[in-house]
Amino acid sequence: MRPSGRNLSECRPISIETGVTKHAEGSCLIKVGDTHVLCTATIEDRAPSFLKGTGLGWVTAEYGMLPRATNSRTRREAAAGKQSGRTQEIQRLIGRALRAGVDRSALGERQIVIDCDVIQADGGTRCASITGGWVALRLAVNKLLKSGLIASDPLLDHVAAISCGIYAGQPVCDLDYAEDSEAGTDGNFIMTGAGKLIEVQMSAEGATFSRDEMTRLLDLAEAGVAQLVTAQKAALA
Amino acid sequence: MRPSGRNLSECRPISIETGVTKHAEGSCLIKVGDTHVLCTATIEDRAPSFLKGTGLGWVTAEYGMLPRATNSRTRREAAAGKQSGRTQEIQRLIGRALRAGVDRSALGERQIVIDCDVIQADGGTRCASITGGWVALRLAVNKLLKSGLIASDPLLDHVAAISCGIYAGQPVCDLDYAEDSEAGTDGNFIMTGAGKLIEVQMSAEGATFSRDEMTRLLDLAEAGVAQLVTAQKAALA
Amino acid sequence: MRPSGRNLSECRPISIETGVTKHAEGSCLIKVGDTHVLCTATIEDRAPSFLKGTGLGWVTAEYGMLPRATNSRTRREAAAGKQSGRTQEIQRLIGRALRAGVDRSALGERQIVIDCDVIQADGGTRCASITGGWVALRLAVNKLLKSGLIASDPLLDHVAAISCGIYAGQPVCDLDYAEDSEAGTDGNFIMTGAGKLIEVQMSAEGATFSRDEMTRLLDLAEAGVAQLVTAQKAALA
Amino acid sequence: MRPSGRNLSECRPISIETGVTKHAEGSCLIKVGDTHVLCTATIEDRAPSFLKGTGLGWVTAEYGMLPRATNSRTRREAAAGKQSGRTQEIQRLIGRALRAGVDRSALGERQIVIDCDVIQADGGTRCASITGGWVALRLAVNKLLKSGLIASDPLLDHVAAISCGIYAGQPVCDLDYAEDSEAGTDGNFIMTGAGKLIEVQMSAEGATFSRDEMTRLLDLAEAGVAQLVTAQKAALA
Amino acid sequence: MRPSGRNLSECRPISIETGVTKHAEGSCLIKVGDTHVLCTATIEDRAPSFLKGTGLGWVTAEYGMLPRATNSRTRREAAAGKQSGRTQEIQRLIGRALRAGVDRSALGERQIVIDCDVIQADGGTRCASITGGWVALRLAVNKLLKSGLIASDPLLDHVAAISCGIYAGQPVCDLDYAEDSEAGTDGNFIMTGAGKLIEVQMSAEGATFSRDEMTRLLDLAEAGVAQLVTAQKAALA
Amino acid sequence: MRPSGRNLSECRPISIETGVTKHAEGSCLIKVGDTHVLCTATIEDRAPSFLKGTGLGWVTAEYGMLPRATNSRTRREAAAGKQSGRTQEIQRLIGRALRAGVDRSALGERQIVIDCDVIQADGGTRCASITGGWVALRLAVNKLLKSGLIASDPLLDHVAAISCGIYAGQPVCDLDYAEDSEAGTDGNFIMTGAGKLIEVQMSAEGATFSRDEMTRLLDLAEAGVAQLVTAQKAALA
């Protein structure tokens, strides 16, 4: 029934390659099916000014798509002179999600910037950005720990994200673009390695949904995130 | 336990006054406690260009805050030269929520723009904008029906929204600013008059949450939205 | 002869309600006929940097219109990405007018920002903003005096403004939108409570005017401003 | 008493050189003392879209200052990314003033753009722009008449402008920068060749002014504009 | 003598991988040493409006750098709200260079957009963009030829580019970042497969250069471009 | 053969008038045929922040064109809200060229800003800006030397620029607009008084060029720059 022939609960193949750029403090190229995102982590000595003197650190994210990551070319945001509302919404989400897994006191007054740039898009780019962004963050934090700049690990748990939705009347996991553009309801579930919820975003444009459907989507998300966390661990091993 | 002395499931007083500006096709001033939002509906003859020839209409929203709607003055976005990411995220949410309750085919190829301007803010401005925005939309659609420009009612059901969150370890309903700025987890629930879900947005910055907590928040939201729908009906009666 | 049936020298009904928002240091909602403007005053601890070390304070103003304050919807300036030339011209005028009534040395090195947001427009919004803005300024200054932060009253006199013009060949007072859009010559007179002139702006697009007409417009303005000052006093009593 | 040693009613020397650029349909370099403005007129085949089908033409103006036209360098507006509020206010004034002397029906559905670029500034640049801009406009209209594109002269009369103000307690004419920056009250008077008023802008920042002072300033302006009109005629002879 | 230990005339290793994204009509990832650029070609049905009715096509380019392509993070241009002067200069150069190798009449009234996004930077990104951009262009044109949309090949010859400069007093070929940032004179040579010149840009900030040095740099460039053209041919074979 | 009737190696008449504005530390109006550029130099006490503590100075340039400097009116960049890519490229070139002739250590930690504003354009505006800009720079530096603010002359040699290109198959010198818009290859040569090269920019849009043609263009440029340097000397004598 799914355009890709997958089972309702079947995720796309996941690959995470680390150390893909020589400059960044942490980096990976995450591929979730045909969605490919390059994630880099940059450590900055200073936290944003609103944290001055608090002893707390910050993690933030920026998101971009190469113009031809998509089926038809998308206008370059730098040329358009601003980031779209969609881009801003996504990068706020990525930053918020990653911060939820960080002990900002242990990080100290510094900032880590996660850049997520979509090389090729086929649905689920914000979820792949979070899952890959966490790997880049982990690598950068490892560098801080190894150098002795911080004493204890500020990362509380893995953070990963998956999209789920109702496609052709059925709850399905890890929507690709063909499903995403047709789904009546879809959303994103961001969870920790231990299965706790960080963010739930379910949204209906075409049709409303029931609490029962919500429950079934949460079940799918739990199973999907578990697979992503396994892939994160393998990539970092 | 709540700063306002309210019970965990107690909403703030709701007031919706209609017909507050002489120019708009529909308007109301919604007050949810000390949060006051002026909502107007403008009917435009044409739908956006991407709908040309489809026979479908569109509902969109814009959101703004007067500079001194807040405790300390917020910089005017027109002076800053752009809408913040937060503003864009909110107005995209309002538009998406209202569209979920519209039969766009029955609306025909026209657009209704809902402007939500916050006169005074005390938490929950986006939810009040949705609840009040729907009333303005209802009034504008009534005008279209009365004039004979459309034949059947494109509004499928009421749409209303409420924020819920975990404050001081307890699930609470309709957070005010004092609670909102302290809550470990909070979010917005947008529902129809019949209790179906349109959008769920739960987000944790400080602490993750469990599926059990999610269930209790959904219970609170259902009860809260029911009260808002009752207030909408009373205002329109 | 006037669309509203008013006499040539008759102003519209004036209402000024103070204390309309809980956050601002001073606020009022001024209604001049169907023109409604919300004015708030914000006290800031610091004067602009060009005044550093001078001991002088500053009063400035910002002006905005809600998109549907007008008969057909006006594009939101925050969405357009800039304030129009008209907006900038108006807010520069409001600030200049209010400063003319302030002893900036008595105010000390602080700034008061007056925000004037037009809720509903029917001509004369800049004049209503000045008249209402002065009331908000007065209330904020009262707070400073009461708190002991300043010792002597920096407000030298009332400041109020009225539009006058030549409509259908006749000098008339307090033009509404129907008159404003047809007047050959119109302009604004800003005066003190004692009847001294602060600013005169008379402008002809369609037809030039004579010194004699100028004199008759000044006579109308004097009488009109006197009524506005009476309304300011009543609102503050 | 005046820094320049001029009498209270004495204007600065005026020079208007026409035909200073080879491309423009009309051009002049106007020098009022040390204030030098290059004015060009461009004829465009089409009127702005809001005039389509009306048979009416339009005259508009743009104003700029070279960065080092001033005593200390002013930031280039193109580099700053926007025209200041002051610039917009000035160019709106120039356009409005020139249009007041035009029979837009006789001009037909075309637009004339007047560019006023200040090469060197010493006070009164907006007035010099209007006086010189009218000469450029006259020359461009002459070209239209000569080519037969229009049948009757759309220029109703000369338009010229002068600044007057109260300097050191005395009404003075044609303020230079040294006076302008010290004047308690100053403003601009725009008049026709026949002495009719087009625009009056008197503004007090430091001190208010009386109706009697207003009368004396109008007297000075009348005499000053008469001299400017004489200079315009000489330049065009 | 060179930081990399290369001979004066030795280029860095070149690798060009084609078909790296599934959406673009042509694509490659070019690696010149540690400089990695992703190049994609997009075919658009329409030429820019200034070519309407001429029968001529257009090739244009856009250039970007991922924020962490560089040693320290560079601010994202989309977030900054504009493309830097450097970016605009580079993308104008790429477009101009590629167009010089195109028979725009044979291309017909369509546009091909070349996007060059730097994944990792180590000097010479604009040259790598031109060399890789031509491969993406070649692949897209092949698609047009194969589909029968165009009848004859619009590509006249290969186009490739190399930087040369005077480093530590010696002319060297293909500067990496360590050399680029120290070179007294450097520049770019863009040539065809047949060795004709398309563009020469030599620039001295620190020290001027002689005609004799210019001749030696041209010799180096000729040899370097020949190697790049060989690599292009191999990648396309 | 040339539209102007000039010989292949014949430059246009050159005139350089110094001291044309009363405010700038150095200024000239340079006329190269019908291309007229006003160049001013502004001395600023501080160098850009990236030079703080280095003891080095900076020279930078900004370039602009009056809207009607061109045959048809060009949109004002301040109104458009940004400088075009062309403008940025030109002003970066002017700054780079002038800096190549400066001993920045002798200049000390200050900045000189060269503003080049095109009053009338007929091809070669960037070259005229460099040649005239150097004269303004020379005058400003003379003022620094005379005042004793700097001890030794930071200007190493004259800097001047000329365009050359291949027009109708023949190498020609100092292209005017009629030639520039038709030339298959053209470019700019920036040289010192001693004939050393600072920058070479040759570019082919329509047709490629050979090394032999490059040599002949360099010969033309050498002769042309020598004439410009003679004119600079005469103007400064």
Side-chain angles (χ1 to χ4, degrees):
Chain A
M1 181 212 78
R2 302 179 71 173
S4 58
R6 285 186 277 151
N7 294 334
L8 298 183
S9 62
E10 188 180 345
C11 295
R12 292 176 286 180
I14 305 157
S15 123
I16 304 176
E17 183 189 353
T18 60
V20 293
T21 79
K22 74 169 189 174
H23 297 304
E25 278 75 57
S27 71
C28 74
L29 175 64
I30 183 168
K31 298 184 181 178
V32 179
D34 279 339
T35 289
H36 302 176
V37 185
L38 184 64
C39 304
T40 60
T42 297
I43 301 171
E44 295 178 351
D45 282 350
R46 284 190 295 192
S49 54
F50 64 87
L51 291 176
K52 190 153 193 180
T54 61
L56 300 173
W58 195 247
V59 174
T60 190
E62 287 192 5
Y63 170 93
M65 264 216 283
L66 297 195
R68 199 55 200 281
T70 42
N71 189 41
S72 60
R73 187 174 183 272
T74 308
R75 191 175 177 203
R76 191 178 287 269
E77 291 189 324
K82 63 172 180 175
Q83 295 180 302
S84 70
R86 179 187 172 274
T87 290
Q88 291 184 65
E89 194 170 321
I90 291 175
Q91 65 194 14
R92 283 158 55 94
L93 172 67
I94 301 170
R96 208 161 59 223
L98 294 177
R99 276 195 301 277
V102 173
D103 175 347
R104 288 164 49 211
S105 174
L107 180 57
E109 271 194 40
R110 55 178 55 80
Q111 175 166 264
I112 300 182
V113 182
I114 306 297
D115 283 290
C116 303
D117 287 273
V118 180
I119 303 294
Q120 188 176 279
D122 187 36
T125 62
R126 77 189 72 187
C127 290
S129 296
I130 290 167
T131 306
W134 188 85
V135 171
L137 174 63
R138 174 74 272 173
L139 290 165
V141 167
N142 287 352
K143 199 165 265 187
L144 283 175
L145 285 165
K146 201 170 171 186
S147 69
L149 281 165
I150 56 175
S152 66
D153 188 357
L155 297 196
L156 305 166
D157 197 350
H158 284 247
V159 174
I162 200 154
S163 73
C164 296
I166 298 173
Y167 173 77
Q170 298 284 349
V172 297
C173 183
D174 190 22
L175 287 76
D176 56 30
Y177 180 74
E179 294 166 331
D180 195 32
S181 52
E182 295 294 325
T185 290
D186 73 326
N188 306 294
F189 296 85
I190 309 174
M191 301 176 75
T192 65
K196 298 281 278 183
L197 292 158
I198 289 174
E199 185 132 351
V200 173
Q201 289 193 329
M202 286 303 305
S203 173
E205 273 227 15
T208 56
F209 56 103
S210 66
R211 285 190 59 169
D212 186 52
E213 287 170 317
M214 181 86 188
T215 300
R216 290 163 69 194
L217 291 167
L218 274 161
D219 291 341
L220 285 174
E222 277 189 0
V225 165
Q227 291 178 49
L228 292 166
V229 170
T230 301
Q232 287 177 329
K233 287 179 180 165
L236 289 162
Chain B
M1 181 212 76
R2 302 179 72 174
S4 58
R6 285 186 277 151
N7 294 334
L8 299 183
S9 62
E10 187 180 345
C11 294
R12 291 175 286 180
I14 305 158
S15 123
I16 304 176
E17 182 190 355
T18 61
V20 292
T21 78
K22 76 168 188 173
H23 298 302
E25 278 76 56
S27 71
C28 74
L29 174 63
I30 183 168
K31 298 184 180 178
V32 179
D34 279 340
T35 290
H36 303 176
V37 185
L38 183 64
C39 305
T40 60
T42 297
I43 300 171
E44 294 179 351
D45 283 348
R46 285 191 294 191
S49 54
F50 64 87
L51 290 176
K52 190 153 194 180
T54 62
L56 300 173
W58 194 248
V59 173
T60 190
E62 286 192 6
Y63 170 92
M65 263 214 285
L66 297 194
R68 200 54 200 279
T70 42
N71 189 42
S72 59
R73 189 174 181 270
T74 307
R75 191 173 177 203
R76 191 177 287 268
E77 290 189 324
K82 62 173 183 176
Q83 294 181 303
S84 69
R86 177 186 173 275
T87 291
Q88 291 185 65
E89 195 169 321
I90 291 174
Q91 65 193 13
R92 283 158 57 93
L93 172 68
I94 301 170
R96 207 161 59 224
L98 295 177
R99 276 194 302 277
V102 173
D103 175 349
R104 289 163 47 212
S105 174
L107 180 57
E109 272 194 38
R110 56 178 54 81
Q111 175 166 265
I112 301 182
V113 182
I114 306 298
D115 283 292
C116 302
D117 286 274
V118 180
I119 303 296
Q120 188 176 277
D122 188 36
T125 62
R126 76 189 73 188
C127 290
S129 295
I130 291 166
T131 306
W134 187 84
V135 171
L137 174 63
R138 174 74 272 172
L139 291 166
V141 167
N142 287 353
K143 199 165 266 188
L144 283 174
L145 284 165
K146 202 170 173 187
S147 68
L149 281 166
I150 56 175
S152 66
D153 188 357
L155 296 196
L156 304 166
D157 197 350
H158 284 246
V159 174
I162 199 153
S163 73
C164 296
I166 298 173
Y167 174 77
Q170 298 284 349
V172 297
C173 183
D174 191 23
L175 288 76
D176 55 30
Y177 179 75
E179 293 166 331
D180 195 31
S181 51
E182 295 294 325
T185 292
D186 72 328
N188 306 294
F189 296 85
I190 310 174
M191 302 176 75
T192 66
K196 298 280 279 182
L197 292 158
I198 289 176
E199 186 133 351
V200 173
Q201 289 192 330
M202 285 302 305
S203 174
E205 274 228 12
T208 56
F209 56 103
S210 65
R211 287 191 59 170
D212 186 54
E213 287 170 319
M214 181 86 189
T215 300
R216 290 162 71 194
L217 292 166
L218 275 160
D219 291 341
L220 285 174
E222 275 189 3
V225 166
Q227 290 178 50
L228 293 165
V229 170
T230 302
Q232 287 177 330
K233 287 179 180 164
L236 290 161
Chain C
M1 179 212 81
R2 302 180 71 175
S4 59
R6 285 187 277 151
N7 295 333
L8 298 183
S9 62
E10 188 181 345
C11 296
R12 292 174 288 179
I14 304 158
S15 123
I16 303 175
E17 182 190 355
T18 61
V20 293
T21 79
K22 75 168 188 174
H23 297 303
E25 278 75 57
S27 71
C28 76
L29 175 64
I30 183 168
K31 298 185 180 178
V32 180
D34 280 338
T35 290
H36 303 174
V37 185
L38 183 64
C39 305
T40 61
T42 297
I43 301 171
E44 295 179 350
D45 282 350
R46 283 191 294 192
S49 53
F50 64 87
L51 290 176
K52 191 154 192 178
T54 62
L56 299 173
W58 196 248
V59 173
T60 190
E62 286 192 7
Y63 170 92
M65 263 216 282
L66 297 195
R68 199 56 199 280
T70 42
N71 189 39
S72 60
R73 188 175 182 271
T74 308
R75 190 174 179 203
R76 192 177 287 268
E77 290 189 325
K82 62 173 183 175
Q83 294 180 305
S84 70
R86 177 186 173 276
T87 291
Q88 291 184 65
E89 194 169 322
I90 292 174
Q91 64 193 14
R92 283 159 55 92
L93 172 67
I94 301 170
R96 208 162 57 223
L98 295 178
R99 275 194 301 278
V102 173
D103 174 346
R104 289 163 50 211
S105 173
L107 180 56
E109 272 193 39
R110 55 178 55 82
Q111 176 166 263
I112 301 182
V113 183
I114 306 298
D115 283 290
C116 302
D117 287 90
V118 180
I119 303 295
Q120 189 175 277
D122 187 37
T125 62
R126 77 189 71 189
C127 289
S129 296
I130 291 167
T131 307
W134 188 86
V135 172
L137 173 62
R138 173 75 272 171
L139 290 166
V141 167
N142 287 352
K143 200 166 266 188
L144 283 174
L145 285 166
K146 203 171 171 185
S147 70
L149 282 165
I150 57 176
S152 65
D153 188 357
L155 297 197
L156 304 166
D157 197 349
H158 284 245
V159 174
I162 198 152
S163 73
C164 296
I166 298 173
Y167 173 77
Q170 298 284 348
V172 298
C173 183
D174 190 22
L175 288 75
D176 56 31
Y177 180 76
E179 293 166 331
D180 194 31
S181 51
E182 296 294 324
T185 291
D186 72 328
N188 306 295
F189 296 85
I190 310 174
M191 301 175 75
T192 65
K196 298 281 278 183
L197 291 158
I198 290 175
E199 186 133 349
V200 173
Q201 290 192 328
M202 285 304 303
S203 173
E205 274 226 15
T208 55
F209 57 102
S210 65
R211 285 189 62 168
D212 186 53
E213 286 170 317
M214 182 87 189
T215 300
R216 290 163 68 196
L217 291 167
L218 274 160
D219 291 341
L220 285 175
E222 275 188 3
V225 166
Q227 289 178 52
L228 292 165
V229 170
T230 302
Q232 288 177 329
K233 287 179 178 162
L236 289 161
Chain D
M1 180 211 79
R2 301 180 72 173
S4 58
R6 285 187 277 151
N7 295 333
L8 299 183
S9 61
E10 187 180 345
C11 296
R12 291 175 287 179
I14 305 158
S15 122
I16 304 176
E17 182 189 355
T18 60
V20 292
T21 79
K22 75 169 188 175
H23 297 304
E25 278 76 57
S27 71
C28 74
L29 175 64
I30 183 168
K31 298 185 181 178
V32 179
D34 280 339
T35 290
H36 304 176
V37 185
L38 183 64
C39 304
T40 60
T42 297
I43 302 171
E44 295 179 349
D45 283 349
R46 284 189 296 192
S49 54
F50 65 85
L51 290 176
K52 192 155 192 176
T54 61
L56 299 173
W58 195 247
V59 173
T60 190
E62 287 192 6
Y63 170 92
M65 263 215 284
L66 297 196
R68 199 55 201 278
T70 42
N71 189 40
S72 60
R73 188 175 181 270
T74 307
R75 192 174 177 204
R76 193 177 285 268
E77 290 189 325
K82 62 173 183 176
Q83 295 181 304
S84 70
R86 177 186 173 274
T87 291
Q88 290 184 66
E89 195 169 320
I90 291 175
Q91 63 193 13
R92 284 159 56 92
L93 171 67
I94 301 169
R96 207 162 58 224
L98 295 178
R99 277 194 301 280
V102 173
D103 175 348
R104 288 164 49 212
S105 175
L107 180 57
E109 273 194 38
R110 56 178 55 81
Q111 175 167 265
I112 301 182
V113 183
I114 306 298
D115 283 291
C116 302
D117 287 273
V118 180
I119 303 294
Q120 188 176 278
D122 187 36
T125 62
R126 76 190 72 190
C127 290
S129 296
I130 291 166
T131 306
W134 187 85
V135 172
L137 174 63
R138 175 73 271 172
L139 291 166
V141 167
N142 287 352
K143 199 165 266 188
L144 283 174
L145 284 165
K146 201 171 175 185
S147 69
L149 281 165
I150 57 176
S152 66
D153 187 359
L155 297 196
L156 305 166
D157 197 349
H158 284 247
V159 174
I162 200 154
S163 73
C164 296
I166 298 173
Y167 173 77
Q170 298 285 347
V172 297
C173 183
D174 190 23
L175 288 75
D176 55 31
Y177 179 75
E179 293 166 332
D180 195 30
S181 52
E182 296 294 325
T185 292
D186 72 326
N188 306 294
F189 296 84
I190 309 173
M191 301 175 75
T192 65
K196 297 281 278 184
L197 292 159
I198 289 175
E199 186 132 352
V200 173
Q201 290 193 328
M202 285 303 304
S203 174
E205 274 229 14
T208 55
F209 56 103
S210 66
R211 285 190 62 168
D212 186 53
E213 287 170 316
M214 182 86 188
T215 300
R216 292 163 68 196
L217 292 167
L218 275 160
D219 291 341
L220 285 175
E222 276 189 3
V225 166
Q227 291 179 48
L228 292 165
V229 170
T230 301
Q232 287 177 328
K233 287 180 181 165
L236 289 161
Chain E
M1 179 211 83
R2 303 179 70 174
S4 59
R6 283 188 277 152
N7 294 334
L8 299 184
S9 62
E10 188 180 345
C11 295
R12 291 175 287 179
I14 305 157
S15 122
I16 303 176
E17 184 189 355
T18 60
V20 293
T21 79
K22 74 168 189 175
H23 298 303
E25 278 74 58
S27 71
C28 75
L29 175 64
I30 183 168
K31 298 185 181 177
V32 180
D34 279 339
T35 289
H36 303 176
V37 185
L38 184 64
C39 305
T40 60
T42 297
I43 301 170
E44 295 179 349
D45 283 350
R46 284 191 295 193
S49 53
F50 64 87
L51 291 176
K52 192 156 193 177
T54 62
L56 300 173
W58 195 247
V59 173
T60 191
E62 286 191 7
Y63 170 93
M65 264 215 283
L66 297 195
R68 199 53 200 279
T70 40
N71 188 41
S72 60
R73 187 174 182 271
T74 308
R75 191 175 177 202
R76 193 178 287 270
E77 291 190 325
K82 63 172 181 175
Q83 294 181 304
S84 69
R86 177 187 172 275
T87 291
Q88 291 185 65
E89 194 169 321
I90 291 175
Q91 64 193 13
R92 283 159 56 93
L93 172 67
I94 302 169
R96 209 161 57 223
L98 295 177
R99 276 194 301 278
V102 173
D103 174 348
R104 288 162 50 211
S105 174
L107 180 57
E109 272 194 38
R110 56 178 56 80
Q111 174 166 265
I112 301 183
V113 182
I114 306 297
D115 283 291
C116 302
D117 286 90
V118 180
I119 303 296
Q120 188 175 279
D122 187 37
T125 62
R126 77 189 71 188
C127 290
S129 295
I130 290 166
T131 306
W134 187 85
V135 171
L137 174 62
R138 173 75 272 174
L139 291 166
V141 167
N142 287 352
K143 201 166 265 186
L144 283 173
L145 285 165
K146 202 170 171 186
S147 70
L149 281 165
I150 57 176
S152 66
D153 188 357
L155 297 197
L156 304 167
D157 198 350
H158 284 247
V159 174
I162 199 153
S163 72
C164 295
I166 298 173
Y167 173 78
Q170 297 284 349
V172 296
C173 183
D174 191 23
L175 288 75
D176 56 31
Y177 179 75
E179 293 166 331
D180 195 31
S181 52
E182 296 294 326
T185 291
D186 72 326
N188 306 295
F189 296 85
I190 310 174
M191 302 175 75
T192 65
K196 298 280 278 183
L197 292 157
I198 289 174
E199 186 133 351
V200 173
Q201 290 193 330
M202 286 303 304
S203 173
E205 274 227 14
T208 56
F209 56 102
S210 65
R211 285 189 62 170
D212 186 54
E213 286 170 317
M214 182 86 188
T215 300
R216 290 162 69 195
L217 292 167
L218 275 161
D219 291 340
L220 285 174
E222 275 188 4
V225 165
Q227 290 178 50
L228 292 165
V229 170
T230 301
Q232 287 177 328
K233 286 180 179 163
L236 290 161
Chain F
M1 182 211 77
R2 302 179 71 173
S4 58
R6 285 187 277 151
N7 295 334
L8 299 182
S9 61
E10 188 180 345
C11 296
R12 292 175 286 181
I14 306 157
S15 122
I16 304 175
E17 183 189 355
T18 61
V20 292
T21 79
K22 74 169 189 175
H23 297 304
E25 279 74 57
S27 71
C28 74
L29 175 63
I30 182 167
K31 299 185 180 177
V32 180
D34 279 340
T35 290
H36 303 177
V37 185
L38 184 64
C39 304
T40 60
T42 297
I43 300 171
E44 295 178 350
D45 283 349
R46 283 190 297 191
S49 54
F50 64 86
L51 290 176
K52 191 155 192 176
T54 62
L56 300 174
W58 195 248
V59 173
T60 190
E62 287 192 6
Y63 170 93
M65 263 214 286
L66 297 195
R68 199 54 199 281
T70 42
N71 189 40
S72 61
R73 188 174 181 272
T74 307
R75 191 175 178 202
R76 193 178 286 268
E77 291 190 324
K82 63 172 181 175
Q83 294 180 304
S84 70
R86 177 186 173 275
T87 291
Q88 291 185 65
E89 196 169 319
I90 291 175
Q91 64 194 15
R92 283 159 55 92
L93 172 68
I94 301 169
R96 209 162 56 226
L98 295 177
R99 276 194 302 278
V102 173
D103 174 348
R104 289 163 49 213
S105 174
L107 181 57
E109 274 194 37
R110 55 177 56 80
Q111 175 166 264
I112 301 182
V113 182
I114 307 297
D115 283 292
C116 303
D117 287 273
V118 181
I119 303 297
Q120 188 175 278
D122 188 35
T125 62
R126 76 189 72 187
C127 289
S129 296
I130 290 167
T131 306
W134 187 85
V135 172
L137 174 62
R138 174 75 271 173
L139 291 165
V141 167
N142 287 352
K143 199 165 266 188
L144 283 174
L145 284 165
K146 201 171 173 186
S147 69
L149 281 166
I150 56 175
S152 65
D153 188 357
L155 296 196
L156 305 167
D157 198 350
H158 284 246
V159 174
I162 199 153
S163 72
C164 296
I166 298 173
Y167 174 77
Q170 298 285 350
V172 297
C173 184
D174 190 23
L175 288 74
D176 56 30
Y177 180 75
E179 293 166 331
D180 195 31
S181 52
E182 295 295 326
T185 292
D186 71 327
N188 307 295
F189 295 85
I190 309 174
M191 301 175 75
T192 66
K196 297 281 277 181
L197 291 158
I198 289 174
E199 187 133 350
V200 173
Q201 290 193 329
M202 285 303 305
S203 174
E205 274 229 13
T208 55
F209 56 103
S210 65
R211 284 189 61 169
D212 185 54
E213 287 170 317
M214 182 86 189
T215 300
R216 290 162 69 194
L217 292 166
L218 275 160
D219 291 341
L220 285 175
E222 277 189 2
V225 165
Q227 290 178 49
L228 292 165
V229 170
T230 301
Q232 287 177 329
K233 287 179 181 164
L236 289 161

